[in-house]
Amino acid sequence: MKFHCPVDPVELGLHDYFDIIKRPMDLGTIQKKIESGGYHAIEDFSADVRLTFDNAMLYNEANSVVHDMAKELKIKFTKDYGALLASLEAEETERRKNDKACSLCGCEKLLFEPPVFFCNGLSCPTSRIRRNTHFYVGGNKQYFFCNQCYNELDENVQIDMGDLTLKKNELKKRKNDEVHEESWVQCDDCNRWIHQICGLFNTRQNKEHKSEYRCPQCLLEKRKANPQTIQAKPPGAEDLQRTKLSEWLEKHVAGKVEERRKTLLREKAESENMSELDALKAMGDAGPIIIRQVTSTDRKLEVRERMKRRYAHKNYPDEFPFRCKCIVVFQKLDGVDVILFALYVYEHDAKNPAPNTRTVYVSYLDSVHFMRPRKLRTFVYHEILISYLDYARQRGFATAHIWACPPLKGDDYIFYAKPEDQKTPKDGRLRQWYIDMLVECQKRDIVGKLTNMYDLYFANEKLDATAVPYLEGDYFPGEAENIIKDIEEGGSKKGGSSSKKSKKKRNGSSSSSSSGTSNKTKSKSKAGRSGTRSGSNDEDEVEMPEPSYKDGGRDQVMVKLGDTIQPMKESFIVAFLNWKGAKEEDMVVPKEITEYREKAKKEKEESGKDPTADDVLSSALADEASSSSSNNRKRDANGNIRAAGSNSSSTTATDKNGQLVKIADDDIDEMDCEFFNNRQAFLNLCRGNHYQFDELRRSKHTSMMVLWHLHNRGAPKFVQQCASCNREILTGTRHHCNVCTDFDLCDECFKNPNTDRGACNHKLDAIPVEGEKESQSSSSGFTEAQRKERQKNIKLHIQLIEHASRCKSSSCKSSNCAKMKSYLKHGQTCKLKTIGGCKICKRIWTLLRIHANQCKSSNCPIPQCIAIRERIRQLTKQQQAMDDRRRQEMNRHYRHGMTESR
């Protein structure tokens, strides 16, 4: 059939085919895309089929056989496609009429992803609890113990988890076979039942279960009837705190996206033979992209024990402080702010000790494929990274490190439960994705030389492991610790057998080794047991021992680690940033990049610029030269030299309503967000509340709830649900069963004698629940003076806690000492704790958490300090466990590939 395979212009002698047809398409290609899941909307399939016939009609003259056949098939397809859409719409309408189905999606029972639990025990911390096995849970369903760890617990010893204490007899036995169903809500106007997720119902705003709710259909009808009525909207993505970094990224990306959309519009109009207006309609409505920074906190990475011990003679640091920043990208889809992309970066500034000085680490990034138009995804994400690297190098960062490694199957980086049809890129494709972005950075003069960790550090025999940056979540810290362990254990078992084996391997691997060398190796290995070459007078056979790494010899950690990463070295990317102190040798780029820069510069000069603008630029350059060193080459994301002082953004900006809002300095202001401070905390929040990203409707609901948490950071992250009516218990009293697993009743169901309690017939304890206050806990509304005053008060309260914890005097001169002691005592005896809504506990817990993040004492007297630090370590271990799995799988994959190639 003529349309079933791509046109071959060479075979058919159609030399002008690609001059006329800008985007070839055929039915065979369409079928392959269908089978591979390449279409995400039926409209895209229809557009490709029409394009196939339009191309044939465009290239072939009217009244020709091919032209007439294409015209006839297009008419038939249009008719059949219209009938298909009508049939699908009729089926959908019929499904929605079903009383048992959701009136919005037409589905009945919908299930969430099975929950994932990680053990909090000592024997297997951070390990996943296997599906269909028994485990134990306690502490508001936040802490889990596998069967082995549960059996090792002492019944007489309390388990201190930081924010609460548990006893073994309080842990409830469960089986990891749960399946959770989506909850429903009834519209107060039409009385139809819909899924809470479909209707974007926020259970946390359902105060006392009496909040009025209207489904989207009723809201639409109401707005059509009264178009002048202005509906109150909850705070959205645009209302989040703005920072210098988020403003920089958003302004840059907005300009680039606008240019890219115009280009795509023209290409679509040309390739599909339509007007630009029709192309705009076909591309669909794409909402604005909103970029916000949700966290900016000082953190520290503790050096692992073996690494610290091995290089103590070089005064290797015990820890590396860094600034953790999280960037979240939203797009308004169908009027709803939807999270599409998140990025974690770790910044080690000029004050950081070597080898981390002036280093940026792109730690984790994740996305879901709901961006509109979808073709913009890669472009937008690249521009975000390009703009960030430009921002970083202008602030004095010299290198950017990236470990290009995709997550393993079953693991999530940031977003929980992504779409099934969203494929995880292979390591080669992900690596190329980063390289493409960095090459664009080179073209814009943001990045100089591109290299990798192996060529930069391991190829140089003079360097030891202390020269390699030690970055949280990176490949190096975990692998180096394992290699040091192997070296230590090998040396302790057989008195230097580890080095002996490595010498054998190196000598044996060389096919050009002489017999004399072999004899020396043999003699050496015989004497290796005693560690000396005794009993021989032959000077030719005496081999001087290699100098120790402490005496300037080759570091075996670097040798072994270099051998490991050499086959996969391209995955460990290092980019030299074009900052003001950059060395000339670090700015060397390929010839084609230099030619591109010169060509771009020439085109800009020939395009004709306003001479006034040139005068302004010259003046700016003069100011810049007088205020900075001669090698200061500041450029923006487009490669243009920036005016002096443009690196610091204004402290105010205008929001969508024309109101002035404060711009926080992300390098100075502390932006603490407990569930976004690290990706594991955010994953736990999503898993515990069924915040999933596998469908667009769920992504909308998840984004709505995440925004609610961001605007109400002091609210509990997890709340109990009534076992009878399935509503979340937010206020009043909850009635809890201490025998049954996770059994609570709201006050209304408890007082109702007809409530079905299932198998529970035990006495229920009444526990008061404090109502949540909806208020923005961020400092967006604070002035500069108010922010400083707030930080000062926090420091004073932490000092008071430290004093009260150490003070033993009953007649202390401090007027607030006794009061703080009573608060600390209250925190130890309170039954509500933070999860129950106790105000005192919430405030004390926040102060204790801030103190614990900075505390280094091994026997700190402050209550809960060590326990809180242990909880932070648990989260870190969960992250390390996933990083270790990635590292091990990467090692296994490349070793397997090397074995097959031999």
Side-chain angles (χ1 to χ4, degrees):
M1 191 176 177
K2 293 183 181 295
F3 306 105
H4 247 288
C5 58
V7 174
D8 189 343
V10 177
E11 183 180 345
L12 299 174
L14 309 176
H15 305 297
D16 60 346
Y17 185 79
F18 290 118
D19 295 332
I20 300 173
I21 304 302
K22 302 299 182 183
R23 188 185 161 210
M25 185 55 64
D26 63 278
L27 299 180
T29 301
I30 292 172
Q31 184 176 356
K32 290 178 182 177
K33 288 181 70 175
I34 292 173
E35 292 171 351
S36 63
Y39 290 111
H40 302 283
I42 194 170
E43 292 82 8
D44 297 335
F45 158 76
S46 171
D48 278 354
V49 174
R50 296 174 195 274
L51 179 62
T52 302
F53 301 134
D54 287 339
N55 285 344
M57 294 164 64
L58 176 65
Y59 189 79
N60 296 276
E61 294 181 357
N63 299 323
S64 65
V65 175
V66 177
H67 185 282
D68 291 344
M69 186 183 298
K71 185 176 181 180
E72 183 181 347
L73 288 173
K74 182 181 178 181
I75 293 171
K76 182 172 177 14
F77 171 76
T78 303
K79 181 180 178 182
D80 292 345
Y81 180 71
L84 174 64
L85 290 183
S87 174
L88 292 174
E89 188 174 347
E91 290 179 12
E92 186 77 10
T93 304
E94 195 62 30
R95 269 205 319 270
R96 292 176 180 177
K97 289 180 180 178
N98 183 359
D99 292 338
K100 295 182 179 179
C102 172
S103 62
L104 293 178
C105 70
C107 299
E108 296 183 27
K109 186 177 182 180
L110 294 176
L111 303 177
F112 288 112
E113 279 286 307
V116 179
F117 303 106
F118 294 91
C119 181
N120 294 104
L122 296 176
S123 297
C124 56
T126 72
S127 297
R128 278 193 181 191
I129 297 174
R130 293 196 308 272
R131 192 76 178 149
N132 295 316
T133 59
H134 287 93
F135 69 105
Y136 296 83
V137 61
N140 191 30
K141 301 185 289 185
Q142 292 186 72
Y143 301 103
F144 313 99
F145 298 85
C146 66
N147 204 44
Q148 177 186 350
C149 293
Y150 174 81
N151 292 332
E152 294 174 357
L153 294 175
D154 191 335
E155 293 184 358
N156 300 319
V157 177
Q158 288 188 333
I159 313 165
D160 200 335
M161 304 307 297
D163 56 342
L164 51 81
T165 55
L166 301 171
K167 291 184 179 179
K168 184 175 181 178
N169 58 8
E170 294 176 349
L171 302 178
K172 309 302 179 185
K173 187 175 183 179
R174 284 169 56 179
K175 189 175 182 180
N176 191 11
D177 60 354
E178 298 177 6
V179 177
H180 296 278
E181 180 185 353
E182 286 191 17
S183 298
W184 297 74
V185 63
Q186 188 178 28
C187 175
D188 290 323
D189 283 1
C190 64
N191 294 324
R192 288 179 292 194
W193 286 91
I194 58 176
H195 294 119
Q196 291 183 3
I197 289 177
C198 293
L200 294 176
F201 179 69
N202 188 346
T203 56
R204 305 300 288 270
Q205 292 179 319
N206 188 21
K207 301 301 181 185
E208 299 181 0
H209 314 307
K210 295 178 181 178
S211 299
E212 185 179 9
Y213 174 74
R214 290 188 180 91
C215 68
Q217 293 171 331
C218 292
L219 277 176
L220 184 61
E221 292 174 2
K222 185 177 179 181
R223 289 182 182 179
K224 286 180 179 179
N226 301 293
Q228 304 300 327
T229 305
I230 300 176
Q231 297 289 332
K233 292 183 179 179
E238 289 186 350
D239 301 306
L240 291 173
Q241 171 73 65
R242 298 185 180 195
T243 66
K244 289 185 177 182
L245 174 57
S246 69
E247 290 291 287
W248 171 272
L249 296 176
E250 188 171 89
K251 288 176 181 176
H252 167 78
V253 171
K256 287 293 182 179
V257 167
E258 186 61 28
E259 293 177 11
R260 184 62 176 171
R261 278 179 58 81
K262 290 178 181 178
T263 303
L264 290 176
L265 192 65
R266 287 193 298 267
E267 291 176 354
K268 188 175 183 65
E270 291 176 6
S271 64
E272 300 185 18
N273 309 313
M274 61 174 67
S275 66
E276 290 194 3
L277 184 60
D278 291 336
L280 181 61
K281 292 178 180 177
M283 285 180 66
D285 181 30
I289 291 173
I290 304 164
I291 301 176
R292 289 294 181 268
Q293 183 176 354
V294 294
T295 184
S296 182
T297 57
D298 288 324
R299 287 175 43 192
K300 58 186 178 182
L301 171 61
E302 295 181 359
V303 177
R304 301 192 188 188
E305 194 58 40
R306 286 186 170 86
M307 182 78 179
K308 192 191 308 181
R309 185 169 60 242
R310 181 176 175 88
Y311 299 102
H313 67 285
K314 299 195 74 173
N315 295 322
Y316 195 70
D318 293 337
E319 62 185 26
F320 290 98
F322 62 93
R323 188 81 166 176
C324 171
K325 297 181 179 180
C326 178
I327 306 296
V328 179
V329 178
F330 301 82
Q331 186 180 28
K332 198 172 284 294
L333 302 177
D334 306 321
V336 180
D337 292 327
V338 181
I339 298 175
L340 299 178
F341 177 85
L343 167 69
Y344 279 91
V345 292
Y346 301 152
E347 298 178 350
H348 299 257
D349 60 17
K351 298 178 182 178
N352 224 270
N356 288 13
T357 311
R358 297 187 182 274
T359 297
V360 166
Y361 183 52
V362 179
S363 179
Y364 302 99
L365 59 83
D366 206 352
S367 68
V368 286
H369 63 28
F370 299 121
M371 180 172 283
R372 296 176 187 168
R374 194 166 297 210
K375 287 183 178 180
L376 279 177
R377 280 186 68 214
T378 296
F379 176 81
V380 170
Y381 303 154
H382 273 180
E383 288 299 329
I384 291 171
L385 287 171
I386 291 169
S387 183
Y388 170 73
L389 292 179
D390 187 29
Y391 183 82
R393 60 108 182 184
Q394 292 185 50
R395 290 167 48 246
F397 290 97
T399 57
H401 291 250
I402 300 172
W403 176 19
C405 179
L408 299 180
K409 185 178 180 180
D411 280 337
D412 294 304
Y413 272 171
I414 301 174
F415 298 138
Y416 173 54
K418 292 194 285 293
E420 288 186 8
D421 61 340
Q422 181 171 327
K423 298 178 181 178
T424 301
K426 300 294 183 183
D427 55 348
R429 185 169 182 177
L430 180 62
R431 185 167 59 245
Q432 191 58 48
W433 189 90
Y434 280 114
I435 292 297
D436 291 343
M437 179 271 297
L438 291 170
V439 168
E440 185 63 28
C441 285
Q442 286 183 319
K443 291 179 179 179
R444 303 185 194 182
D445 206 12
I446 295 170
V447 165
K449 183 171 68 174
L450 289 180
T451 183
N452 59 74
M453 192 166 70
Y454 178 86
D455 292 343
L456 189 60
Y457 303 111
F458 295 90
N460 187 346
E461 294 187 359
K462 296 180 181 179
L463 298 179
D464 60 17
T466 61
V468 184
Y470 200 88
L471 307 168
E472 180 168 308
D474 194 29
Y475 178 92
F476 174 74
E479 191 67 14
E481 196 75 359
N482 286 346
I483 287 176
I484 295 172
K485 179 182 178 183
D486 291 342
I487 292 174
E488 290 177 350
E489 292 181 351
S492 62
K493 287 178 181 176
K494 292 192 176 181
S497 62
S498 176
S499 60
K500 175 179 66 179
K501 288 180 181 179
S502 65
K503 289 188 181 68
K504 281 185 179 181
K505 186 174 181 180
R506 289 198 299 272
N507 291 330
S509 63
S510 176
S511 58
S512 61
S513 297
S514 65
S515 59
T517 306
S518 301
N519 290 335
K520 287 181 182 181
T521 306
K522 185 174 181 181
S523 302
K524 171 87 175 175
S525 63
K526 284 182 179 178
R529 294 174 186 171
S530 61
T532 60
R533 174 71 175 139
S534 60
S536 174
N537 296 322
D538 191 348
E539 293 180 359
D540 293 336
E541 292 191 1
V542 175
E543 183 173 325
M544 296 299 293
E546 293 184 5
S548 165
Y549 69 96
K550 293 183 179 181
D551 301 324
R554 186 72 169 121
D555 187 358
Q556 287 302 305
V557 173
M558 296 293 279
V559 173
K560 293 178 181 293
L561 188 52
D563 291 342
T564 301
I565 72 169
Q566 197 276 334
M568 49 185 172
K569 66 178 185 178
E570 301 299 334
S571 295
F572 305 101
I573 305 168
V574 182
F576 285 90
L577 303 179
N578 187 9
W579 68 295
K580 66 180 180 180
K583 299 177 181 177
E584 290 297 328
E585 59 267 27
D586 294 335
M587 293 297 105
V588 177
V589 294
K591 183 180 178 181
E592 56 268 24
I593 298 295
T594 304
E595 292 175 351
Y596 177 90
R597 290 178 182 175
E598 292 174 353
K599 183 180 178 182
K601 182 179 179 182
K602 187 176 180 182
E603 289 177 352
K604 186 174 289 187
E605 291 173 352
E606 292 177 351
S607 63
K609 295 171 64 178
D610 182 4
T612 308
D614 288 335
D615 293 340
V616 173
L617 180 60
S618 300
S619 176
L621 287 172
D623 292 340
E624 184 177 7
S626 64
S627 61
S628 60
S629 59
S630 59
N631 63 345
N632 187 354
R633 295 165 291 178
K634 295 185 178 180
R635 298 178 184 269
D636 62 15
N638 299 315
N640 301 319
I641 299 176
R642 300 175 64 251
S646 57
N647 192 34
S648 58
S649 66
S650 173
T651 56
T652 60
T654 306
D655 64 9
K656 58 185 178 182
N657 299 318
Q659 300 294 323
L660 287 178
V661 293
K662 296 292 181 181
I663 304 297
D665 189 331
D666 51 285
D667 290 325
I668 299 175
D669 294 338
E670 191 79 5
M671 296 178 62
D672 181 55
C673 180
E674 187 178 359
F675 58 88
F676 257 125
N677 280 343
N678 60 68
R679 63 163 195 88
Q680 192 61 52
F682 182 67
L683 273 174
N684 291 346
L685 173 78
C686 293
R687 287 184 180 129
N689 291 293
H690 300 298
Y691 296 160
Q692 298 182 189
F693 291 88
D694 53 341
E695 300 173 9
L696 178 57
R697 65 185 191 91
R698 283 179 172 170
S699 289
K700 289 178 179 178
H701 183 267
T702 295
S703 302
M704 177 190 72
M705 296 308 301
V706 170
L707 280 169
W708 185 87
H709 282 290
L710 284 170
H711 287 294
N712 299 274
R713 301 190 183 190
K717 307 303 175 288
F718 307 92
V719 295
Q720 289 77 17
Q721 196 174 42
C722 177
S724 177
C725 64
N726 292 324
R727 292 180 296 192
E728 293 181 340
I729 307 172
L730 304 175
T731 56
T733 304
R734 67 180 176 95
H735 301 268
H736 176 70
C737 178
N738 291 314
V739 179
C740 299
T741 303
D742 298 328
F743 188 90
D744 291 272
L745 289 179
C746 64
D747 199 43
E748 184 180 341
C749 292
F750 175 76
K751 293 177 180 178
N752 186 353
N754 299 321
T755 296
D756 182 11
R757 294 179 53 172
C760 179
N761 55 4
H762 311 103
K763 181 183 177 182
L764 303 182
D765 292 341
I767 301 176
V769 179
E770 183 182 343
E772 300 169 1
K773 293 183 180 179
E774 293 181 28
S775 61
Q776 294 190 16
S777 60
S778 65
S779 57
S780 58
F782 292 161
T783 64
E784 187 67 26
Q786 287 173 330
R787 272 203 296 267
K788 289 182 179 179
E789 185 65 24
R790 182 171 177 266
Q791 292 174 356
K792 181 181 177 181
N793 287 336
I794 289 174
K795 288 181 180 179
L796 290 174
H797 278 85
I798 291 175
Q799 290 174 4
L800 182 58
I801 288 178
E802 293 172 351
H803 166 80
S805 301
R806 294 182 174 90
C807 181
K808 304 297 181 183
S809 173
S810 58
S811 57
C812 182
K813 295 180 180 180
S814 173
S815 58
N816 294 316
C817 179
K819 192 173 184 179
M820 182 57 72
K821 285 179 180 177
S822 67
Y823 286 154
L824 294 174
K825 186 176 181 181
H826 165 85
Q828 294 174 341
T829 58
C830 179
K831 293 183 179 180
L832 288 180
K833 299 281 186 180
T834 57
I835 59 175
C838 177
K839 282 185 178 180
I840 296 176
C841 287
K842 280 183 182 179
R843 291 170 182 170
I844 293 297
W845 173 257
T846 301
L847 294 171
L848 290 175
R849 188 160 55 84
I850 294 172
H851 161 82
N853 281 326
Q854 306 296 328
C855 182
K856 300 177 183 178
S857 174
S858 58
N859 55 353
C860 181
I862 294 181
Q864 308 296 328
C865 175
I866 295 176
I868 294 171
R869 281 151 58 188
E870 181 59 34
R871 189 181 180 192
I872 295 172
R873 278 193 210 98
Q874 286 283 341
L875 284 174
T876 304
K877 284 179 181 178
Q878 284 188 27
Q879 290 197 162
Q880 287 180 356
M882 194 195 77
D883 294 331
D884 289 343
R885 289 195 297 272
R886 283 197 302 157
R887 179 169 45 79
Q888 292 163 7
E889 176 59 24
M890 198 171 187
N891 291 344
R892 186 201 65 77
H893 172 72
Y894 278 93
R895 285 169 185 162
H896 181 68
M898 290 176 63
T899 304
E900 288 185 343
S901 63
R902 285 172 184 170

